[in-house]
């Protein structure tokens, strides 16, 4: 049975990689077909045509095992493709796309709209009250917007020497970008990673990356003086955020363009059938956790001091990020795709699934992993789901549809 599940997982995995690769090569952009979908069956699913009127502050908790009805739903712009295409800043929810629109989390009403300001699929990177984006004019600039109003409040002019800079991470002091170096014949053979001062907009440092390293498939975090990132070339690398100096880099056994997790001096990555934790300071491997036979890890994230990780066998685990010790696992997901992104409100863990028409937003008891409910919008689209906590609400993105759910 494990071998059969592995073959099914492989099929889904190829779909996911194909979709991701297409989005990366095209820098975003994509429209997805919709159609009817049968009821997932395991957990009651509400009709997407019955959102609670007007959203607002009042909503009730549905019976156990029943997913809540949407508070509101809105169509989004084409091109909202990317691992971090959804963000919440204060009481405004943002979805990557053109036009870029800021919506009220409570009601779904449009607060502001900006045309030609965001590259479709751009990472929604909010730090220190600013949304950082590469300029949609492809002029080498990086811009900062006020998420509450959409007004430009900051700009860094990197110049035309750099090709298509992309924001990958930020902290309170700097914004970190990856950009190709434009040759005289307009080709790009090498790329740099650079830090931009958040107060002046000037480049604090730039470091040439090794020949052959990819510009795309980058996942990064900036924390505690460390800039840590993985890429398609099967590397995990850590740099000093103050100087750009590379502290260490390691080859990992499988191309990794998924999420990484950082927790108290450790970076945790999914390396095929293992979770691996490395010390940020020197790259020493601190622990490793193997998945079941014929499966590999995919989505992971640390929330409230707990590492949550899913694998291609549709198993979700809660793990101590300091030691790698597993505290619980659930195998209640065999009829849906594995989760790829997580959010948490109170004692409930929310998971957004990968490419699967029977997936959606899953709610678990964070204490023991018991599945509480599953929400699916009924569109039948194979797009990846995204979820972000917004107070007592969840913002959920699926294809070209943005949904607000009560966090219950």
């Amino acid at each position: 049975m494990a071998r059969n599940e592995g073959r099914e997982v492989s099929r889904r995995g190829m779909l996911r990689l194909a979709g991701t690769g297409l989005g990366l090569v095209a820098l975003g952009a994509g429209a997805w077909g919709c159609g009817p979908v049968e009821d997932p069956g395991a957990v009651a699913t509400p009709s997407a045509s019955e959102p609670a009127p007007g959203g607002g502050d009042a909503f009730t908790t549905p019976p156990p095992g029943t997913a809540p009805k949407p508070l509101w739903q809105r169509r989004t712009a084409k091109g909202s493709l990317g691992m971090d295409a959804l963000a919440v800043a204060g009481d405004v929810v943002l979805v990557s796309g053109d036009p870029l629109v800021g919506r009220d989390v409570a009601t779904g009403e449009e607060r502001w709209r900006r045309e030609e300001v965001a590259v479709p699929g751009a990472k929604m990177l909010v730090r220190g009250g600013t949304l950082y984006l590469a300029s949609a004019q492809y002029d080498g600039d990086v811009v900062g917007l006020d998420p509450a109003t959409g007004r430009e409040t900051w700009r860094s002019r990197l110049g035309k020497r750099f090709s298509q800079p992309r924001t990958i991470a930020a902290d309170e002091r700097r914004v970190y970008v990856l950009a190709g170096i434009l040759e005289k014949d307009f080709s790009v053979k090498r790329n740099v990673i650079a830090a931009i001062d958040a107060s002046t907009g000037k480049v604090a440092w730039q470091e040439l990356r090794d020949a052959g390293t990819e510009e795309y498939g980058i996942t990064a975090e900036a924390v505690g003086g460390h800039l840590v990132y993985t890429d398609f070339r099967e590397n995990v690398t850590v740099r000093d955020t103050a100087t750009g100096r590379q502290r260490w880099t390691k080859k990992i056994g499988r191309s990794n363009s998924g999420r990484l997790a950082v927790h108290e001096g450790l970076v945790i990555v999914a390396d095929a059938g293992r979770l691996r934790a490395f010390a940020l300071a020197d790259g020493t491997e601190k622990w490793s956790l193997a998945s079941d036979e014929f499966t590999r890890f995919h989505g992971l994230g640390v929330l409230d001091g707990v590492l949550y990780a899913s694998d291609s066998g549709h198993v979700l685990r809660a793990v101590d990020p300091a030691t790698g010790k597993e505290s619980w696992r659930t195998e209640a997901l065999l009829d849906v795709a594995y989760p790829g992104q997580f959010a948490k409100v109170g004692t409930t863990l929310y998971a957004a699934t990968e490419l699967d028409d029977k997936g959606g937003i899953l709610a678990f008891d964070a204490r023991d992993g018991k599945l509480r409910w599953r929400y699916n919008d009924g569109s039948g689209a194979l797009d990846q789901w995204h979820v972000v906590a917004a107070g007592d609400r969840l913002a959920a993105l699926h294809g070209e549809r943005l949904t607000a759910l009560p966090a219950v």
Side-chain angles (χ1 to χ4, degrees), residues 131-155:
L131 169 65
Y132 293 104
L133 296 164
S135 169
Q137 302 304 312
Y138 299 98
D139 52 10
D141 289 1
V142 178
V143 299
L145 305 181
D146 178 355
T149 64
R151 290 195 294 267
E152 183 178 314
T153 58
W154 181 92
R155 179 175 288 262

Side-chain angles (χ1 to χ4, degrees), residues 37 39-40 42-52 65-74 336 350-353 356-363 371-379 385-387 394-398 401-406:
V37 59
D39 191 319
V43 180
T45 302
S47 168
S49 64
E50 298 178 355
T66 303
K69 291 184 178 181
L71 299 172
W72 53 261
Q73 289 182 319
R74 299 289 186 272
V336 297
Y350 301 95
T353 66
D356 196 311
D357 58 353
K358 295 182 181 180
I361 304 300
L362 312 178
L371 182 62
R372 289 180 169 173
W373 50 258
R374 180 195 315 156
Y375 170 80
N376 185 288
D377 61 10
S379 68
W385 286 75
H386 305 262
V387 65
L394 302 172
L397 175 65
H398 183 221
R401 181 177 294 180
L402 178 64
T403 300
L405 296 171

Side-chain angles (χ1 to χ4, degrees), residues 194-230:
I196 305 171
D197 189 288
S199 60
T200 66
K202 295 181 179 180
V203 175
W205 53 259
Q206 65 181 54
E207 292 290 329
L208 189 67
R209 299 181 70 216
D210 294 340
T213 53
E214 297 284 354
E215 290 185 64
Y216 306 107
I218 301 290
T219 302
E221 292 287 344
V223 59
H226 303 86
L227 175 64
V228 54
Y229 54 93
T230 63

Side-chain angles (χ1 to χ4, degrees), residues 12-239:
R12 284 175 174 154
M14 286 189 291
L15 280 171
R16 176 181 182 271
L17 289 175
T20 303
L22 176 62
L24 292 171
V25 171
L27 289 180
W32 302 85
C34 295
V37 59
E38 66 183 29
D39 191 319
V43 180
T45 302
S47 168
S49 64
E50 298 178 355
D57 293 326
F59 49 79
T60 59
T61 301
T66 303
K69 291 184 178 181
L71 299 172
W72 53 261
Q73 289 182 319
R74 299 289 186 272
R75 299 288 292 179
T76 65
K78 293 181 180 180
S80 55
L81 177 67
M83 195 159 50
D84 295 289
L86 177 67
V88 169
D91 59 355
V92 176
V93 59
L94 307 160
V95 176
S96 180
D98 186 18
L100 181 62
V101 177
R103 293 190 179 277
D104 188 288
V105 169
T107 66
E109 296 304 313
E110 188 174 302
R111 291 272 195 91
W112 55 266
R113 170 184 293 254
R114 292 285 304 274
E115 305 280 349
E116 298 182 350
V117 71
V119 176
K123 181 183 180 76
M124 294 287 96
L125 180 59
V126 180
R127 293 293 185 278
T130 300
L131 169 65
Y132 293 104
L133 296 164
S135 169
Q137 302 304 312
Y138 299 98
D139 52 10
D141 289 1
V142 178
V143 299
L145 305 181
D146 178 355
T149 64
R151 290 195 294 267
E152 183 178 314
T153 58
W154 181 92
R155 179 175 288 262
S156 177
R157 292 179 169 84
L158 300 181
K160 295 184 178 180
R161 176 171 175 253
F162 297 114
S163 170
Q164 298 177 346
R166 287 169 298 285
T167 58
I168 59 172
D171 53 30
E172 294 304 315
R173 297 184 59 193
R174 293 188 170 106
V175 183
Y176 304 94
V177 301
L178 192 70
I181 299 176
L182 202 60
E183 304 289 341
K184 291 182 179 180
D185 62 356
F186 300 104
S187 65
V188 176
K189 299 182 177 67
R190 302 288 297 274
N191 60 85
V192 298
I193 193 163
I196 305 171
D197 189 288
S199 60
T200 66
K202 295 181 179 180
V203 175
W205 53 259
Q206 65 181 54
E207 292 290 329
L208 189 67
R209 299 181 70 216
D210 294 340
T213 53
E214 297 284 354
E215 290 185 64
Y216 306 107
I218 301 290
T219 302
E221 292 287 344
V223 59
H226 303 86
L227 175 64
V228 54
Y229 54 93
T230 63
D231 61 31
F232 276 156
R233 289 290 184 177
E234 303 175 3
N235 300 307
V236 55
T237 303
V238 172
R239 292 183 181 273

Side-chain angles (χ1 to χ4, degrees), residues 263-285:
H263 176 76
E264 294 185 354
L266 296 177
V267 54
I268 305 160
V269 298
D271 182 3
R274 288 190 298 160
L275 292 178
R276 302 175 69 186
F278 301 98
L280 282 172
D282 58 13
T284 303
E285 187 164 355

